[in-house]
Amino acid sequence: MKNVAVLGAGSWGTALASVLAENGNKTRLYARRVSAVQEINIHHTNERYLPKASLAPSLQASSDQAEVIRPSDVVVFVVPSQSLRETARQVRPYLKPHAVIVHASKGLEVRTFKRMSQVLAEELPEHANQIVALTGPSHAEEVIQKLPTAVVVASKDLYAAEIAQSCFMNSYFRVYTNTDVIGCEIGGALKNVIALATGLCSGMEFGDNGIAALLTRGLAEMARLGSAMGAQPNTFVGLAGVGDLIATCTSPHSRNWRAGNMISQGKKLDQVLSEMGMVVEGIQTTEATYTMAKHYQVEMPIIEQLYEVLFADKCPREALMDLMSRDKTHELQDYVQGW
């Protein structure tokens, strides 16, 4: 049993906090809104993000960051990727020297193109060797219902990953460890981009054949970029790669899939974001990935076409035709060595 702090009371942060509390950890959830704190503490619900779901009765919420973090042996960041750096700066003074830092944010920082563990290591240098990434196929709406879920916790320090594993794992939430942080984070970030493209294609009724091709070729692009950055190719056929890709690209629970679907109906990006009312990580990650592909000289045609649709008003059907009319090639030439 550990003292655990969870920063971020959205759907995923709330679901993870409830799992931690149910496992016997003394869990405190930081929420900015006082009304959310009162609802969680009194009614054990968070209707705004997890309608009709009951949270662990022992879960405590607070709008005081210091109160939440100071006693904690494990601190879990569940905030949007573009907010992670500032949040880390805010909480640094309250962290215990040997606290394990876990993040469950799936994205890339647009300004620097850095992965989330890199951002945390820069802002929390004293904890750089105790950073863990939690990722894998895990819809909050299903986790809170205690439906079977398997995720992975990745860290350069296997001991830190095993601490996180022990805190989270139970009969319905299975947790594996991994030391390939790069691969796990790139898989978790880029699957959101492919989910955007999948939602768009589904909305335009491109068919099951097209969706299957998109997922398969999207996975190849994820692995190519990840390998160029130093990831292990086999990570992309695990939970952080193909597992998360399947869950995010085939379910209406996915806000990235829903955003892509709305774009297929002719809605502009600003309108989609306004109607969603939640962060859509894949949009900013598309922008970051497009630039990173150029930097690493990695061919990523799906990413390039999605970037044109999102940020240059390219017609989705024209983007599809450009993908389908590319020069002939051999399938296995496009896969990374080791697959």
Side-chain angles (χ1 to χ4, degrees):
M1 186 176 70
K2 297 284 187 182
N3 282 295
V4 184
V6 178
L7 305 175
S11 57
W12 191 215
T14 302
L16 287 176
S18 189
V19 170
L20 288 162
E22 192 167 77
N23 288 355
N25 301 291
K26 188 170 179 57
T27 307
R28 300 170 181 85
L29 174 62
Y30 169 74
R32 288 180 298 177
R33 293 184 299 112
V34 174
S35 58
V37 170
Q38 293 174 339
E39 180 188 353
I40 292 167
N41 288 339
I42 297 171
H43 302 291
H44 312 301
T45 60
N46 188 349
E47 286 290 332
R48 178 177 179 178
Y49 292 105
L50 292 170
K52 300 180 181 178
S54 297
L55 310 180
S58 62
L59 176 61
Q60 300 174 2
S62 172
S63 56
D64 185 332
Q65 280 187 342
E67 179 185 36
V68 168
I69 295 166
R70 279 195 174 120
S72 300
D73 308 302
V74 177
V75 178
V76 185
F77 289 79
V78 198
V79 298
S81 57
Q82 308 312 310
S83 304
L84 184 63
R85 187 178 294 275
E86 180 58 31
T87 304
R89 286 176 183 168
Q90 291 173 2
V91 306
R92 182 180 177 185
Y94 311 130
L95 290 170
K96 283 185 176 182
H98 301 293
V100 172
I101 307 299
V102 181
H103 82 79
S105 303
K106 299 176 180 179
L108 299 167
E109 191 174 52
V110 172
R111 181 173 58 84
T112 65
F113 312 120
K114 291 186 175 177
R115 294 175 286 106
M116 297 295 95
S117 63
Q118 291 176 305
V119 171
L120 287 171
E122 288 181 354
E123 297 301 328
L124 308 173
E126 304 90 344
H127 298 80
N129 294 323
Q130 300 146 233
I131 295 172
V132 180
L134 187 154
T135 188
S138 46
H139 294 305
E141 297 86 350
E142 296 186 0
V143 171
I144 202 65
Q145 294 178 49
K146 303 182 182 179
L147 297 179
T149 300
V151 299
V152 59
V153 285
S155 178
K156 293 182 292 185
D157 182 347
L158 184 57
Y159 180 65
E162 288 173 344
I163 290 175
Q165 181 184 44
S166 296
C167 288
F168 282 102
M169 188 160 164
N170 61 30
S171 62
Y172 63 88
F173 198 74
R174 183 165 179 79
V175 184
Y176 292 84
T177 58
N178 194 322
T179 54
D180 181 15
V181 181
I182 297 174
C184 287
E185 289 187 321
I186 291 299
L190 266 62
K191 58 90 184 181
N192 286 329
V193 178
I194 304 303
L196 268 172
T198 306
L200 196 155
C201 291
S202 294
M204 300 192 73
E205 299 183 348
F206 285 167
D208 293 341
N209 295 347
I211 298 301
L214 179 62
L215 266 63
T216 307
R217 301 309 304 167
L219 181 64
E221 293 190 17
M222 290 164 55
R224 282 205 296 271
L225 179 61
S227 296
M229 296 173 67
Q232 298 174 20
N234 285 344
T235 296
F236 294 93
V237 294
L239 290 167
V242 68
D244 213 355
L245 189 68
I246 292 170
T248 311
C249 294
T250 61
S251 171
H253 285 315
S254 165
R255 65 187 69 170
N256 291 281
W257 186 95
R258 296 202 308 271
N261 199 262
M262 292 167 72
I263 292 170
S264 75
Q265 299 167 20
K267 295 182 179 180
K268 298 297 183 183
L269 194 54
D270 289 345
Q271 182 183 359
V272 169
L273 292 174
S274 176
E275 290 185 17
M276 290 284 291
M278 294 184 287
V279 173
V280 181
E281 290 282 10
I283 291 172
Q284 291 174 310
T285 303
T286 300
E287 187 176 8
T289 305
Y290 178 82
T291 303
M292 290 172 67
K294 304 294 184 187
H295 174 77
Y296 285 98
Q297 298 182 324
V298 173
E299 189 176 14
M300 303 184 77
I302 295 172
I303 302 298
E304 291 174 6
Q305 293 300 326
L306 182 61
Y307 177 89
E308 293 290 330
V309 170
L310 293 178
F311 300 107
D313 287 329
K314 186 171 186 176
C315 171
R317 293 190 181 277
E318 182 184 349
L320 173 68
M321 291 307 301
D322 285 345
L323 282 172
M324 296 297 288
S325 60
R326 294 172 64 240
D327 290 343
K328 293 181 288 186
T329 186
H330 189 290
E331 181 185 28
L332 296 186
Q333 286 179 343
D334 284 347
Y335 284 80
V336 298
Q337 187 175 6
W339 275 25

